[in-house]
């Protein structure tokens, strides 16, 4: 269910309140003849629902890998591009892109040119690679940017990380991003894109659901792009 943004009008038409303005004369109301009964209210017994994510062993990537900063084997190649992109930052920059190959391609296109974006996303990046970049990159120049968009975790899923492990890495990344930028910076987390694999699609949906549920707790805006790239009838990624 979509949530109202700050300043967005309520769904209900408040003009209904005008109905009560038609009475011009005061209406006498008799004093109550009995004392209202006050019912004791007990403390709520329900606890917030916690999404239980699927866990499983990944022999090539032990638990915790996704949240443990690590260099990417191609970082020496990527850092040249990242340095060049950082140099383009200016007062006109409204957007920073963090993530993997998808946002890297978006940044290279003219799709978001109106926002003068700076792209700090690289191909093949897992969550641990982005965490490593965030830890080593000087962010002081760009920390006042109005908005940061993150898309990460797709390669974790492709490397057979469980939904639990993938979600852990993504949330760890978001928390570090929040610590690197001003509190006024809006953090937008994009969903992991769908795949033409029943198992991967199930894992991706599970992760996306958890990320959506955690958005208010952690403090970011979650945008689920699944419906824009997935055919629910054919059960496959939409043809481009």
């Amino acid at each position: 269910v979509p949530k109202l943004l700050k300043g967005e009008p309520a769904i209900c038409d408040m003009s209904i309140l005008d109905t009560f303005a038609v009475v011009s004369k005061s209406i006498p109301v008799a004093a109550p003849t009995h004392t209202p009964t006050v019912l004791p209210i007990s403390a709520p017994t329900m606890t917030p629902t916690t999404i239980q994510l699927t866990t499983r062993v990944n022999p090539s990537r032990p638990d915790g890998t996704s949240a443990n900063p690590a260099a990417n084997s191609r970082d020496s190649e990527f850092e040249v591009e990242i340095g060049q992109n950082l140099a383009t930052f200016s007062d006109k920059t409204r957007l920073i892109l963090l993530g993997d190959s998808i946002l890297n391609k978006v940044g290279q296109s003219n799709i978001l040119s109106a926002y003068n974006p700076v792209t700090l996303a690289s191909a093949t990046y897992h969550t641990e690679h982005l965490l490593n970049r965030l830890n080593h990159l000087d962010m002081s120049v760009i920390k006042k940017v109005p908005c940061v968009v993150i898309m990460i975790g797709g390669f974790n899923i492709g490397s057979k990380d469980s939904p639990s492990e993938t979600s852990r890495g993504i949330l760890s990344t978001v928390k570090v991003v929040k610590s690197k930028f001003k509190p006024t910076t809006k953090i937008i987390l994009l969903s992991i894109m769908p795949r033409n694999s029943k198992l991967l699609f199930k894992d991706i949906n599970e992760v996306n659901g958890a990320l959506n549920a955690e958005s208010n707790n952690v403090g970011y805006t979650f945008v689920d792009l699944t419906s824009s790239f997935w055919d629910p009838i054919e059960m496959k990624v939409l043809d481009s």
Side-chain angles (χ1 to χ4, degrees), residues 157 192-195 200-209:
I157 288 289
I192 299 177
M193 301 288 275
R195 301 281 192 91
L200 293 184
F201 185 68
K202 176 180 177 297
D203 284 353
I204 290 169
N205 272 348
E206 195 173 325
V207 172
N208 287 340

Side-chain angles (χ1 to χ4, degrees), residues 37-58:
T37 302
V38 178
L39 298 176
I41 300 176
S42 59
T45 56
M46 293 181 63
T47 55
T49 302
T50 301
I51 295 179
Q52 297 297 322
L53 292 169
T54 300
T55 62
R56 57 174 172 266
V57 175
N58 184 350

Side-chain angles (χ1 to χ4, degrees), residues 105-195:
K105 293 296 184 183
V106 169
Q108 292 177 0
S109 70
N110 292 320
I111 298 175
L112 301 174
S113 58
Y115 301 95
N116 293 287
V118 169
T119 306
L120 305 179
S122 295
T124 74
Y125 255 40
H126 294 60
T127 54
E128 64 267 25
H129 303 141
L130 184 51
L131 282 169
N132 186 65
R133 172 168 291 165
L134 292 169
N135 285 345
H136 290 89
L137 199 64
D138 182 3
M139 314 282 281
S140 59
V141 176
I142 63 174
K143 65 187 302 181
K144 294 182 180 180
V145 72
C147 183
V148 174
V149 175
I150 308 167
M151 179 186 277
I152 196 70
F155 281 96
N156 293 72
I157 288 289
S159 297
K160 300 182 180 179
D161 281 356
S162 69
S164 176
E165 179 69 13
T166 301
S167 179
R168 181 192 309 178
I170 295 172
L171 291 176
S172 295
T173 302
V174 172
K175 291 173 183 177
V176 171
V177 169
K178 287 176 65 66
S179 72
K180 296 288 185 179
F181 291 87
K182 291 287 187 180
T184 53
T185 298
K186 183 169 186 176
I187 308 298
I188 298 177
L189 178 62
L190 304 182
S191 61
I192 299 177
M193 301 288 275
R195 301 281 192 91

Side-chain angles (χ1 to χ4, degrees), residues 88-94 116 146:
T88 67
F89 180 84
S90 70
D91 292 339
K92 296 181 179 180
T93 300
R94 316 304 295 167
N116 293 287

Side-chain angles (χ1 to χ4, degrees), residues 13-67:
D13 183 3
M14 298 306 290
S15 64
I16 193 172
L17 296 178
D18 295 339
T19 305
F20 299 99
V22 299
V23 180
S24 58
K25 295 189 296 182
S26 61
I27 300 175
V29 179
T33 58
H34 67 281
T35 303
T37 302
V38 178
L39 298 176
I41 300 176
S42 59
T45 56
M46 293 181 63
T47 55
T49 302
T50 301
I51 295 179
Q52 297 297 322
L53 292 169
T54 300
T55 62
R56 57 174 172 266
V57 175
N58 184 350
S60 61
R61 291 173 58 82
D63 284 352
T65 298
S66 67

